[in-house]
Every structure is written in C-alpha cells, then in structure tokens.
Amino acid sequence: MTNHWVDMKNANLIIVMGGNAAEAHPVGFRWAMEAKIHNGAKLIVIDPRFTRTASVADFYTPIRSGTDIAFLSGVLLYLLTNNKFNREYVEAYTNASLIVREDFGFEDGLFSGYDADKRKYDKTSWNYELDEKGFAKRDTTLTHPRCVWNLLKHHVSRYTPDVVADICGTPKADFLKVCEYIAETSVHDKTASFLYALGWTQHSVGAQNIRTMAMIQLLLGNMGMAGGGVNALRGHSNIQGLTDLGLLSQSLTGYMTLPSEKQTDLQSYLTANTPTPLREGQVNYWSNYPKFFVSLMKAFYGDKATAENSWGFDWLPKWDKGYDVLQYFEMMNQGKVNGYFCQGFNPVASFPNKNKVVASLSKLKFLVTIDPLNTETATFWQNHGEQNDVDTASIQTEVFRLPSTCFAEENGSIVNSGRWLQWHWKGQDAPGEALNDGEILAGIFLRLRKMYAEEGGACPEQVLNMSWNYSTPHNPSPEEVAMESNGKALADIIDPVTGDVLAKKGNQLGTFAHLRDDGTTSSGCWIFAGSWTPDGNQMARRDNADPSGLGNTLGWAWAWPLNRRILYNRASADPQGKPWDPKRQLLSYANGKWVGADIPDYSTAPPGSDVGPFIMQPEGMGRLFAMDKLAEGPFPEHYEPFETPLGTNPLHPNVVSNPAARVFKGDMEAMGKKDKFPYVGTTYRLTEHFHYWTKHALLNAIAQPEQFVEIGEKLAGKLGIAQGDTVKVSSNRGYIKAKAVVTKRIRTLNVHGQEVDTIGIPIHWGYEGVAKKGFIANTLTPFVGDANTQTPEFKAFLVNVEKV
Ligand SMILES: Nc1nc2c(c(=O)[nH]1)N[C@H]1C(S)=C(S)[C@@H](COP(=O)(O)OP(=O)(O)OC[C@H]3O[C@@H](n4cnc5c(=O)[nH]c(N)nc54)[C@H](O)[C@@H]3O)O[C@H]1N2
Ligand SMILES: Nc1nc2c(c(=O)[nH]1)N[C@H]1C(S)=C(S)[C@@H](COP(=O)(O)OP(=O)(O)OC[C@H]3O[C@@H](n4cnc5c(=O)[nH]c(N)nc54)[C@H](O)[C@@H]3O)O[C@H]1N2
Ligand SMILES: [Mo]
C-alpha cells in the first residue's frame, strides 16, 4: 500500500474491484465502513460475483473475470474525454509531458519490438527521447504528438463504453455509472481508493490490471493524498514482510535484485541497478543503491566482506532465469531437482494443476516439510481415492516432516499491508517437539557449515563466510535478527559537510540516510533502517495519538520507509506547496524543510522547484507510460485469459492472450477450449476458512461443513442442477466433485454476442485435517502466470459442469 489501513477512512469513494475485502480482510474492512458511515463515502463493487462486500455497497455491477483492463481503460477514456482529471497535477507530477522515442509503436495488439519465437519484447523503443545531456525531452504544452499524453489518449481511444460492455459483459449503463462515481473525485477535495487483492493479481495480465488503476489514480491526482493511493490488501499477515525481505528467487532485501549471470562483477551489477536521473536536478533516490547493497553484504558476511573481494559479490548466486515456483515445479517435473525444502507452504493445495505438482514431487529423492500442520504436500504419496489417486508403491521420494511453531508461539515483527512493522510477543509455548523456524534453519545451517569446514566441498565460501554472531547460535533471537536487519555503524559515521558524528561506531543506525558504500555500515534490509535505533525497538511503540485526525498515528509501531505513512506525500500539495485540500494537509514548508502530519517524502527543495515528487523514479514523475518496466508493454492492453470463453480477442483476433506470458511445453496442450469446457471457472476465499489451515480446526469445519461450488440460477436451470445436488466440475487437467449451491449471486453475462456463465469455486478443501474430506480446487487450474510476477491464472479458466 502507498497508504495504510486507517487512511481508508479519509476516502470519499471506495472501489472494491479485484478483491472481496469484507470476506478476505474482515478486520481491515472496518476502515472502509468507517469512511462510509462517518465520511459519507460511497462504496462500489465490481466483481464477477455479488459478494459479501457487494452486500454492503452503494452500487454493484458484474464483470467477466479477466477483463478489468478493458473496463479500467474505458474509465481512463471517460475521464480524458469528459475533462475529469486534475490537470495541474498531471502536468507537473506525471510523465504526461515527456516525449517518447520515434520508433515506439503499437499495432494489432503488439507493441514495437516483439519476438514471437521467444515470446518476449526487446524494449529499447519503449523509452523517452533524450537530449544531448541524456535527459528526457519534454513538451509542457502537451501538444507534441509523441508526448505520453497524446500517446495515451490514442491508446485508450478504442475502449469506448460499447467496447467495454462487449468485452466485460458489464451493462453499459452500469459502466457509465461507475465512471460517474469515479469522475466525481477528480476535484481537489475528494479522493478515491481502490481496494484490490487477488481478483486482480491472479491473471496472466495481473500486473497490468493494477497499473491501469494506478494510471486512473494519477489522472485524478490521488497519489500521495490522504484517502487515495494504490492499496494492495495483502494476503498472509506477513506477506508484505516477505517481499520486503526479498524472499523471491531474484530478489535481495529492500527491493534490490540478485545479480544475473550477465553481471559478472560488482561494477557491472551496480551500473545495471543504479539509475541515472532522467531530468536535470532530479532526486532519483535509487542512485544510493551501492550504499544499500554494500551494507547488505556487510550484514551477510561481516569482516569477510572487504573492498578487495568486492564485498563478497562472487559468493552471491547469479540467476539465468527466474526461479519462481512455476519454473521450479516445471524443473522438478523434468526430473532436474533432487531435494526440496518446503517451509510454510502447501503446494499440492495452493499451486495450479495439482496433478502436475504431485507428479513433480514424486520425482524427488527427498522432500522436507517444515510446518506446524500435516499438509497434503507432506502426504502427497498417500492414496486418498478420487481426491489423490496415486500409486504409492511407485513413489520413491523420502519425506521428512519437521514440526514448526506458529506466530503466536514466538516474538517477532509482522509487516502489515500498510508497511507498518508491528512487534508482537509470544502468547504460548509450542507443543510437542515443535521448534521455531529460525531454530530449524539454524540447526541445518550450523551442521552444513561444520561439514563444509571438516570435509570441504564445492563453493564452500558462502557457507563458511556467513556472519552468525548471535548469542545463542543454534536459536537466533528475533530481537537480534531485527537489530541486524536495521543495521549499525561499523565505524563512526561523519557528516561530510558539518563534520558531525551521525552515528557512533557500534551503534544502531537511526536512518538509511547514514548508510555508506565503503564498508563502514551494515544493514540487512535498508528500508527497515530506523526500526531499531539507539532508542530501542520502534516497532514495539504503542502510542495511538493522532493530532492531525488523519489516522497517521506516528507513534504507533513503525512504518518503512523512515516511519512514513503515506508514500509520495509531496504530491498532496500543489507545486507551490499549497495542499490540494486543506482538510488533508500532510506537509508544509518551514525553515528550509518540509514538515507536517506525516514524515515528508521529498528532498529539501523549496516550493516552486521542479523536483518531481516521485523521488524513486529517475524522472521524478508518476508514470502514465511505464517505459521499459513491464513485460507486455508500457501501456496496458486487454488480452484474454489463456483459457478464454470467447476463443478470440474482440480487439485483435491475431493476438488473443498475453503475448509475453511464459508457457512451458506441454502446458499449452493442457489448456482447454470452449467447445468441451464452456464455462468460466474462478476460485476464491470464504471468511470462515483460512487457506488450508483451518480445515484442521473443528469449529471452522463446522462453520463451512462441506465443499461446494456456486452456480447461477439460469445455468443451473438449463443443466437441471438443483440446490444440494452433487456436481462434477472438470477442466482439461482433472476434476473435482462438490455440492451445488444454486444462487442469484452469479449472473449470466452477455459477452461479444454470446452468453458467458461463471462457476464459483472456493479453495479451502483437501483431504488432510478434521473437516469433511474434499477435493483440491487446484486440480482444475492452468499452469500459466502473469508475465511479470508469474502469479498463476487462478481466477479465469475454463470448466464444464455436470450433475453426477
Ligand atoms: N477468511 C480468509 N481471509 C483471507 C484468506 C483466507 O484464506 N481466508 N487468505 C488471505 C490471502 S493469502 C489473500 S492473498 C487474500 C486474498 O483476498 P481477495 O483477493 O480479496 O480474495 P479472493 O477470494 O481470492 O478473490 C476476491 C474476489 O475477486 C473476484 N474476482 C475474480 N476474478 C476477477 C476479475 O477478473 N475481476 C474482478 N474485478 N474481480 C475478480 C472474485 O469473485 C472474488 O470475489 O485474502 C486473505 N484473507
Ligand atoms: N486456485 C487458487 N489457488 C490459490 C489461491 C487462489 O485464490 N486460488 N490463492 C493463492 C494465494 S494468494 C496464496 S497466499 C497461496 C497460499 O498457499 P500456501 O502458503 O501454500 O498455503 P497456506 O495453507 O496458507 O500455508 C501453508 C502452510 O504454512 C503453515 N504455517 C503457518 N505458520 C507457519 C510458521 O510460522 N512456520 C512454518 N514453517 N509454517 C507455517 C501452515 O500450517 C500451512 O500448512 O495459495 C494460492 N493458491
Ligand atoms: Mo495470498
């Protein structure tokens, strides 16, 4: 989230689209209700199903799953043609005025630079035209035919209300009503907030769904504003912490990247990752990348990381391709993986094409699961009849189960969606032989290190040189790990201008502004610098004073970066420093710096200067044109789900689905077609269950006693299916059986001259636990993901339904 949970109360319009917050975020959703009840906000919902969120909304309309880009591009067109945007904001704070290269183009569904064999773009042409100094050319009159503004207008001109209704199945009048709601917030004193989650991300175009919304927020002038922003309601309670700490295969902590195999030395790696400014005098905060990186290496390797050995650069693994989970299971399926450590993850249940996942695990020599519960993954080799029909005798994988603790059985911090690090304290000792995850990993690490020290082996440096200075090495305390993540001064840190000592040798750092690239600081995660200072654990603070009334509570816990609650908050004021809306004043300029109700997100540049507020970008501006960042194009474009109920793309039949999405051999053949699988399947959550954990708890099992699927009344009538019948839902990859819930909540939609029906499939069942046995919903889902994030397409695929 650029903003935070409490801040939702400041919105005038809340649009729930691509999520079902009342159901999946029932506690945080109270702030949306707060906006509705105490701020007169309107709540609107756009979802293939009439959800629990829709039941408390002011307006609901359906959409065909997987078509939000068409819908949102239609909203962009509406705002542009009806002059409903914040013109001054767009001119000063977005890249609308920057000029794009002459060789950039878009034709028949493809952007310039496409290589069909590799299913990849050469993105060179997706860039600004640069002047002699390397800065982007600009036309502040917005008249240049190749300035972003005019390219955008041209790109979205195809998404008329009729086209939107034709692709999305949303009634045209409903679509226009949504446009009106949104357009009302283009004035300076109103903001809108979109609440989204997996309904947007779990598509082969997931990242672009979110981008289209972010572009709307930029047009409305909502970024940086209290009650505005881009707000991903995240999933597991610490999943924000997972990405902050870089637990993805190509990441390092604090959104740095792991070197690729092309970056053979420190210098080429740093050059590739340290941007140069694209406008004169721009802040371009990522120019500090070397300081963050060297400090991380000092945290990893301590005294062993020196200038002479490039801070241990050679010890880092280098990636050739992304090792996301789809890639990893594909490799496992090809028999290229011997052993797999599965920690807090249940891929048999949570991954697409369950039968492929089980076949892949069957090819391992060993599998280790680290989990407080018994999972379908740990018992993938057991035959459970129709639910898991495997030949146990033929599976040779040796499985080790290591019982771990749960969050309530340990101290630690959890980062919420709003980037707040909140410390929590252990409530209970772990039962039986369970150990916490840190102790299990430390135990494995220390044994491996001993073996490397005594017996040698390939690449021993990484393990032998790792710093491990915990007071109880076999069980590092969460407090010590948190202090290490924050970082400390390894020598006195001196202000180069004043000569003052900023941080004394050995002390915790107060801010990442003190990080150095000369080995005199260490920090395990630069964005967490400031969370554990010489004044102690900032995450444990519990002062909920709120002087501004905007809900920023700067004394409650700690938010990265630097305890800032609303990112890009300089954009809450106009270029002259006057707040767009005095009720939402976040900062003001006084005595040579910015101060206010939030921690300012800007340099000390005074009002009226041309430094852009989006200081993490090399041009300092919000991007209506995303340059070379995204795999499938700098503007969003509607592509059909890989399994499309239309069999075509109404906009460009030659390019149906995302041309840059990766598909493995065999998986394309496993895609179903609409002749055999005529209905759209979509999977989702229920409040009464949490993934695959709560089927181990009797009360949850009672609250939702049996696996079901939802079928619209019209389709059920056509197929002769009645409430409570057992039905078989099949895709080209397998089938599940469940009770039918016949409902008005799912409508038949008219799409591109045909009727499209949706089958709703909750995800929570399986064959382990105390709940009544069920089928794994992911038996049905396709093995394809978003082209940027590889998040699987769980929300739109093809199925058939029959009564059994
Ligand atoms: N009770 C409970 N809460 C949970 C969880 C849980 O298991 N149980 N899981 C947590 C986790 S890990 C996560 S990631 C979050 C997920 O939170 P959400 O994403 O809110 O939950 P989902 O139920 O997966 O999907 C939300 C909605 O997206 C809609 N949808 C599907 N496709 C589309 C589409 O193409 N366009 C639009 N506009 N909408 C679409 C679905 O109909 C559904 O109503 O929930 C978290 N909260
Ligand atoms: N079809 C379909 N599939 C989906 C989704 C969907 O919407 N539709 N949603 C996807 C999403 S968003 C998510 S997040 C995934 C979730 O997928 P998973 O993360 O695989 O599933 P969970 O059941 O949430 O958690 C996995 C295990 O973590 C264990 N665990 C809990 N606490 C701890 C701990 O402290 N330490 C350790 N070691 N283990 C712990 C639990 O006991 C559980 O068995 O599912 C994905 N799969
Ligand atoms: Mo999730």
Side-chain angles (χ1 to χ4, degrees), residues 202 236 344-346 350 370-371 405 437 683 685 693 778 795:
Q202 291 174 339
H236 288 84
F345 188 32
N346 187 2
S350 60
I370 305 175
D371 204 294
T405 56
D437 290 82
T683 56
R685 294 156 172 76
W693 317 12
N778 275 321
K795 293 282 190 263

Side-chain angles (χ1 to χ4, degrees), residues 112-410:
S112 43
Y114 189 60
D115 179 335
D117 290 336
K118 294 194 185 135
R119 292 183 61 82
K120 257 197 177 139
Y121 280 101
D122 170 354
K123 303 176 191 163
T124 317
S125 63
W126 311 353
N127 233 311
Y128 304 129
E129 196 165 281
L130 304 180
D131 65 16
E132 333 53 75
K133 290 199 236 158
F135 297 126
K137 289 194 188 165
R138 190 171 184 193
D139 171 24
T140 49
T141 65
L142 303 186
T143 49
H144 191 288
R146 275 184 290 107
C147 75
V148 165
W149 189 243
N150 291 319
L151 293 178
L152 171 67
K153 279 185 168 170
H154 181 69
H155 189 79
V156 299
S157 63
R158 293 164 295 141
Y159 294 95
T160 61
D162 287 311
V163 168
V164 171
D166 183 63
I167 294 176
C168 304
T170 308
K172 183 170 149 186
D174 283 10
F175 166 70
L176 288 169
K177 181 104 186 124
V178 171
C179 290
E180 282 164 25
Y181 271 117
I182 294 176
E184 273 176 34
T185 70
S186 64
V187 293
H188 291 182
D189 61 351
K190 285 211 163 98
T191 57
S193 182
F194 288 80
L195 309 188
Y196 75 92
L198 281 304
W200 270 353
T201 58
Q202 291 174 339
H203 292 281
S204 48
V205 292
Q208 295 277 13
N209 277 330
I210 294 145
R211 238 196 84 58
T212 326
M213 175 270 286
M215 290 161 70
I216 292 175
Q217 290 294 62
L218 285 173
L219 287 193
L220 297 170
N222 274 336
M223 296 302 298
M225 295 286 284
V230 165
N231 299 307
L233 310 188
R234 305 216 54 181
H236 288 84
S237 68
N238 196 26
I239 203 68
Q240 180 66 46
L242 177 138
T243 45
D244 295 347
L245 287 166
L247 296 183
L248 297 171
S249 67
Q250 276 161 285
S251 306
L252 287 172
T253 61
Y255 302 92
M256 291 191 282
T257 58
L258 195 68
S260 84
E261 63 177 9
K262 295 200 188 90
Q263 293 149 0
T264 48
D265 57 23
L266 177 66
Q267 206 44 55
S268 59
Y269 166 72
L270 290 180
T271 305
N273 288 294
T274 311
T276 47
L278 281 165
R279 287 200 307 133
E280 203 150 9
Q282 188 49 50
V283 174
N284 180 31
Y285 206 82
W286 277 116
S287 64
N288 294 305
Y289 197 100
K291 298 175 187 166
F292 311 150
F293 178 75
V294 173
S295 301
L296 171 65
M297 298 302 278
K298 292 298 288 181
F300 277 171
Y301 300 119
D303 291 342
K304 296 277 169 38
T306 62
E308 291 68 48
N309 64 21
S310 298
W311 316 108
F313 178 81
D314 291 341
W315 304 330
L316 288 178
K318 313 289 182 296
W319 52 268
D320 50 356
K321 54 180 170 255
Y323 288 89
D324 55 274
V325 231
L326 287 176
Q327 175 72 53
Y328 195 62
F329 272 89
E330 169 64 18
M331 286 168 59
M332 211 185 276
N333 198 41
Q334 291 172 14
K336 291 182 183 161
V337 180
N338 287 326
Y340 176 39
F341 277 77
C342 184
Q343 183 187 13
F345 188 32
N346 187 2
V348 168
S350 60
F351 241 63
N353 196 351
K354 176 245 173 197
N355 290 335
K356 176 170 174 175
V357 172
V358 168
S360 306
L361 293 170
S362 307
K363 292 176 183 158
L364 293 170
K365 293 202 173 74
F366 71 93
L367 166 69
V368 181
T369 61
I370 305 175
D371 204 294
L373 299 170
N374 185 24
T375 65
E376 282 79 5
T377 301
T379 62
F380 78 93
W381 48 274
Q382 288 174 2
N383 188 298
H384 286 264
E386 264 187 308
Q387 281 94 344
N388 192 44
D389 194 7
V390 295
D391 174 24
T392 299
S394 70
I395 298 173
Q396 299 302 313
T397 314
E398 188 170 1
V399 180
F400 302 86
R401 282 179 55 197
L402 306 181
S404 74
T405 56
C406 275
F407 66 94
E409 294 157 350
E410 59 209 24

Side-chain angles (χ1 to χ4, degrees), residues 560-769:
W560 72 259
L562 301 180
N563 203 28
R564 180 172 299 136
R565 306 294 159 134
I566 297 183
L567 297 181
Y568 313 120
N569 55 29
R570 171 63 181 88
S572 65
D574 70 13
Q576 303 312 317
K578 193 165 136 287
W580 299 109
D581 177 4
K583 289 194 310 300
R584 302 170 204 268
Q585 177 152 16
L586 289 174
L587 33 90
S588 58
Y589 193 74
N591 304 324
K593 56 179 189 177
W594 294 89
V595 290
D598 193 5
I599 311 292
D601 192 359
Y602 203 50
S603 64
T604 53
S609 76
D610 193 29
V611 176
F614 294 90
I615 61 173
M616 302 309 283
Q617 306 280 38
E619 70 280 57
M621 295 168 144
R623 288 181 171 173
L624 295 169
F625 178 87
M627 293 172 50
D628 54 358
K629 284 292 174 217
L630 289 156
E632 61 283 88
F635 286 131
E637 176 64 8
H638 168 71
Y639 297 111
E640 285 287 315
F642 270 76
E643 292 191 336
T644 157
L646 306 184
T648 184
N649 186 322
L651 293 173
H652 26 72
N654 292 328
V655 185
V656 176
S657 300
N658 188 339
R662 180 193 62 198
V663 188
F664 298 112
K665 239 177 122 219
D667 289 325
M668 198 59 120
E669 291 75 68
M671 300 284 171
K673 299 263 174 349
K674 65 171 188 157
D675 53 346
K676 285 201 195 125
F677 304 99
Y679 313 117
V680 175
T682 191
T683 56
Y684 49 89
R685 294 156 172 76
L686 306 169
T687 306
E688 294 81 0
H689 273 301
F690 193 85
H691 288 282
Y692 319 102
W693 317 12
T694 50
K695 59 186 165 57
H696 293 263
L698 206 50
L699 286 178
N700 301 75
I702 292 167
Q704 284 288 2
E706 192 167 4
Q707 186 169 24
F708 64 92
V709 296
E710 298 190 69
I711 304 175
E713 279 180 350
K714 190 170 173 190
L715 177 66
K718 203 162 90 185
L719 300 177
I721 294 170
Q723 188 81 295
D725 281 351
T726 300
V727 291
K728 180 174 173 183
V729 181
S730 42
S731 77
N732 207 27
R733 294 156 292 273
Y735 68 88
I736 67 170
K737 287 179 182 167
K739 288 277 187 243
V741 168
V742 176
T743 176
K744 292 188 197 321
R745 294 188 296 257
I746 302 182
R747 293 193 215 164
T748 302
L749 300 178
N750 293 314
V751 182
H752 199 55
Q754 71 180 69
E755 290 196 334
V756 171
D757 284 291
T758 299
I759 311 298
I761 307 164
I763 60 174
H764 301 292
W765 278 270
Y767 38 82
E768 295 295 350

